[in-house]
């Protein structure tokens, strides 16, 4: 079974890795600083819990199907520094640079802990189409894992 955020042991692993980050942790690639990354990954969870909508993409059915297969069915890593994000999540382009590392880290951990029992989940991802709770759990595991690796955690 692929790792996902509905698995208690997987959430525990992610929480331990988040706690390894410090305000001084540097990125190994990309433009975000650690505070921006924490906010960015929180945005992903909020989107999954239908609390932060994103603009609809222009991807056709074939592209969505290919992305769904790669993201949901394989362990192919996200290319370093090559993946685009939704404009609403782009902390660098939006000029979002949170000052309080500890508040950002706690916000991500709270969203992560709320995720399994959220009141609602989004029906669709503009990137990969129709979504179930389990799909969001897999997608967000991969997203957070990618960014923790970006910061060496």
């Amino acid at each position: 079974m692929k790792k996902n955020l509905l698995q208690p042991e997987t959430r525990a692993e992610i929480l331990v890795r988040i706690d390894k980050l410090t305000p001084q942790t540097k990125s190994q690639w990309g433009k975000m600083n650690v505070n921006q990354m924490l906010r960015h990954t929180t945005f992903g969870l909020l989107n999954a819990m239908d609390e932060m909508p994103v603009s609809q993409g222009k991807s056709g059915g074939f592209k969505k199907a290919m992305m769904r297969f790669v993201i949901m069915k394989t362990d192919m890593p996200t290319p370093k520094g090559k993946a685009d994000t939704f404009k609403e999540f782009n902390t660098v382009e939006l000029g979002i640079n949170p000052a309080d590392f500890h508040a950002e880290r706690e916000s991500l951990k709270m969203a992560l802990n709320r995720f399994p029992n959220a009141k609602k989940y989004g029906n669709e991802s503009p990137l990969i189409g129709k979504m179930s709770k389990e799909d969001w759990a897999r997608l967000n595991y991969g997203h957070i894992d990618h960014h923790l690796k970006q910061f060496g955690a």
Side-chain angles (χ1 to χ4, degrees):
M1 176 188 290
K2 302 286 183 196
K3 286 187 176 184
N4 71 70
L5 298 181
L6 298 176
Q7 300 162 330
E9 66 278 7
T10 299
R11 276 194 322 283
E13 167 214 318
I14 292 291
L15 289 166
V16 166
R17 291 170 63 193
I18 291 168
D19 280 337
K20 290 181 180 179
L21 299 169
T22 71
Q24 294 76 36
T25 303
K26 300 290 183 213
S27 173
Q28 297 177 6
W29 72 84
K31 298 176 184 175
M32 288 188 288
N33 64 41
V34 68
N35 294 5
Q36 289 172 315
M37 180 275 290
L38 292 167
R39 176 77 59 94
H40 170 81
T41 51
T42 300
F43 284 168
L45 287 166
L46 295 178
N47 176 248
M49 294 185 285
D50 209 27
E51 296 173 17
M52 183 180 181
V54 296
S55 54
Q56 293 299 309
K58 297 179 177 120
S59 296
F62 180 74
K63 184 175 180 183
K64 282 183 181 180
M66 288 297 297
M67 292 298 292
R68 173 177 284 281
F69 176 79
V70 170
I71 292 169
M72 306 303 266
K73 304 292 184 193
T74 75
D75 288 321
M76 185 180 300
T78 304
K80 296 176 181 177
K82 301 287 184 197
D84 287 331
T85 189
F86 299 113
K87 65 182 180 181
E88 295 88 352
F89 293 7
N90 196 328
T91 54
V92 173
E93 293 294 319
L94 293 172
I96 298 170
N97 192 11
D100 188 339
F101 167 82
H102 298 288
E104 293 303 320
R105 184 170 61 183
E106 288 308 307
S107 180
L108 175 57
K109 289 166 62 175
M110 287 181 359
L112 187 60
N113 284 322
R114 279 191 315 115
F115 178 82
N117 299 307
K119 292 182 172 107
K120 187 176 178 187
Y121 299 91
N123 292 324
E124 187 166 341
S125 163
L127 181 64
I128 62 174
K130 296 288 183 200
M131 298 291 282
S132 67
K133 177 180 180 177
E134 292 74 19
D135 292 337
W136 285 118
R138 171 74 177 142
L139 179 66
N140 274 276
Y141 169 77
H143 183 233
I144 295 169
D145 175 64
H146 168 76
H147 287 297
L148 288 174
K149 288 176 181 174
Q150 178 184 7
F151 284 83

